[in-house]
Amino acid sequence: MLDFQEITLADKQWMQPLYDQSQFRSEEYNFTFNYLWREVLSYKVTEYKGFLVQKSDTSNPAYLYPAGSGDVAAVVEAMLQDAKDCGHDFVLYTVLAEQKALLETIFPGKFEFTRIPKYDDYIYTAESLITLAGKKLHAKRNHINRFKAENPDWTYEPITQDNIHEVILMSEEWCRINSCNSQKSLREESCAMRQALKDYFALGLDGGLIRAGGRVVAFSMGDRLNNDTYLVHLEKAFADVNGAYAIINQQFAEHNCKDYTYIDREDDSGDEGLRQAKLSYRPVMRTEKYTARWIG
């Protein structure tokens, strides 16, 4: 069997270069994403023949399509053997369109593919989120103008050692207001958010906050996904502050994403409200994802 281990901060040293070799445009190919969700989703990893192999050790185990370079067929066969040795089905998740085509070529008729739209990443051009230009984003500009009119003393600040404690307090208040402990999805997200704030500097995250009336009313954080795409991991704002979400979205993009072509704002996990919010920013594309089940 493959020698899977739990993900630690130290693993970034060997995992990141393998993500970089693949250049996949999907949240699952980012060290921070996997580190933040490792406990919730029971992620475990190993390196095999120049590839990063990851397994979600849940009641229905599945393997992330491997990242790296070399003979991917040999790696897939090792993963198949691991599944057999463990006594469960062999399922790959986050199989992108290009990888789906490759698997169909290497293993013709051996996999059954299922499209799962709720896990598609929403991809935007960095320019569109920075400028909010055009008729279709007019409402977003109006939200920001209202925020500025109602909060003339507003400021944007990078998250630093001096103000991160305020971000932590705001995140805790946000969770109380939104009853995070009463909903599974919010409870899991709050766990990832606490981890991100705890290990913010060790992970090398970029972060920014909006201050109005002297208090933090919104924050966002992310890091590089690949050579042309930036990944936004977390974004929170107080819903009763008009335009707070719109302005942190725009300001964070302006301060952190100018050197990238695209911004990945992750998936909607099947939440209809989140889906509509992501669509309202007019994504230029969505990263299609499939699961691949071995049918032999």
Side-chain angles (χ1 to χ4, degrees):
M1 289 187 289
L2 295 169
D3 184 21
F4 289 101
Q5 305 291 328
E6 294 182 355
I7 300 174
T8 69
L9 277 171
D11 290 321
K12 184 174 184 177
Q13 184 174 358
W14 68 267
M15 290 174 67
Q16 191 60 55
L18 297 179
Y19 291 136
D20 290 342
Q21 287 178 31
S22 294
Q23 290 291 302
F24 297 150
R25 190 180 292 122
S26 180
E27 62 192 344
E28 290 86 356
Y29 295 97
N30 170 271
F31 177 79
T32 297
F33 175 87
N34 288 295
Y35 180 75
L36 297 184
W37 290 93
R38 72 194 189 285
E39 293 184 1
V40 172
L41 299 174
S42 301
Y43 287 150
K44 293 183 180 179
V45 295
T46 190
E47 184 175 2
Y48 183 77
K49 292 185 179 294
F51 283 84
L52 189 162
V53 182
Q54 179 168 308
K55 186 176 184 178
S56 178
D57 188 18
T58 63
S59 57
N60 295 299
Y63 303 80
L64 178 67
Y65 184 91
S69 61
D71 184 3
V72 72
V75 180
V76 171
E77 288 168 354
M79 297 161 77
L80 172 62
Q81 187 60 51
D82 181 79
K84 289 179 178 178
D85 292 343
C86 292
H88 58 70
D89 290 345
F90 178 42
V91 178
L92 290 167
Y93 68 94
T94 309
V95 178
L96 308 182
E98 182 181 344
Q99 287 69 55
K100 176 177 177 289
L102 181 59
L103 287 174
E104 289 177 317
T105 299
I106 300 173
F107 302 100
K110 299 296 185 180
F111 283 102
E112 178 183 71
F113 297 93
T114 304
R115 174 95 158 77
I116 308 182
K118 70 178 183 179
Y119 294 137
D120 290 357
D121 287 14
Y122 289 77
I123 312 295
Y124 310 81
T125 66
E127 181 182 8
S128 71
L129 293 191
I130 291 170
T131 65
L132 298 177
K135 184 178 180 180
K136 292 180 178 180
L137 295 175
H138 178 71
K140 303 301 181 184
R141 299 195 300 275
N142 283 344
H143 290 321
I144 290 175
N145 289 335
R146 181 176 179 182
F147 174 86
K148 291 179 177 179
E150 294 178 357
N151 303 278
D153 65 342
W154 76 276
T155 57
Y156 174 90
E157 303 172 17
I159 295 176
T160 67
Q161 293 279 7
D162 293 331
N163 60 26
I164 194 169
H165 66 285
E166 295 179 86
V167 177
I168 293 170
L169 290 174
M170 189 220 141
S171 70
E172 292 172 349
E173 184 177 354
W174 190 94
C175 280
R176 286 194 297 271
I177 292 170
N178 290 277
S179 303
C180 286
N181 289 331
S182 66
Q183 301 177 56
K184 183 176 183 291
S185 60
L186 286 178
R187 185 167 61 250
E188 291 175 345
E189 184 186 43
S190 67
C191 177
M193 187 160 57
R194 285 194 300 273
Q195 191 72 69
L197 290 166
K198 176 185 175 184
D199 294 318
Y200 176 85
F201 299 105
L203 287 166
L205 289 169
D206 305 313
L209 62 84
I210 297 292
R211 191 185 299 277
R215 71 174 184 134
V216 176
V217 298
F219 72 90
S220 185
M221 60 182 68
D223 62 0
R224 173 184 176 277
L225 177 57
N226 62 27
N227 289 345
D228 67 5
T229 306
Y230 191 93
L231 180 63
V232 177
H233 293 292
L234 293 164
E235 181 181 276
K236 295 299 174 192
F238 290 133
D240 62 346
V241 179
N242 293 318
Y245 269 111
I247 196 165
I248 186 58
N249 187 321
Q250 185 276 326
Q251 284 288 299
F252 185 80
E254 181 177 319
H255 285 84
N256 296 281
C257 305
K258 287 181 177 179
D259 295 333
Y260 294 86
T261 304
Y262 301 107
I263 297 175
D264 182 333
R265 291 184 57 81
E266 300 191 345
D267 60 51
D268 61 42
S269 300
D271 183 286
E272 184 59 27
L274 191 56
R275 177 177 178 271
Q276 292 303 321
K278 290 179 183 289
L279 287 173
S280 72
Y281 275 94
R282 308 293 177 173
V284 68
M285 70 180 94
R286 292 171 65 176
T287 302
E288 293 186 1
K289 302 179 189 179
Y290 298 81
T291 60
R293 180 177 296 275
W294 183 266
I295 55 176

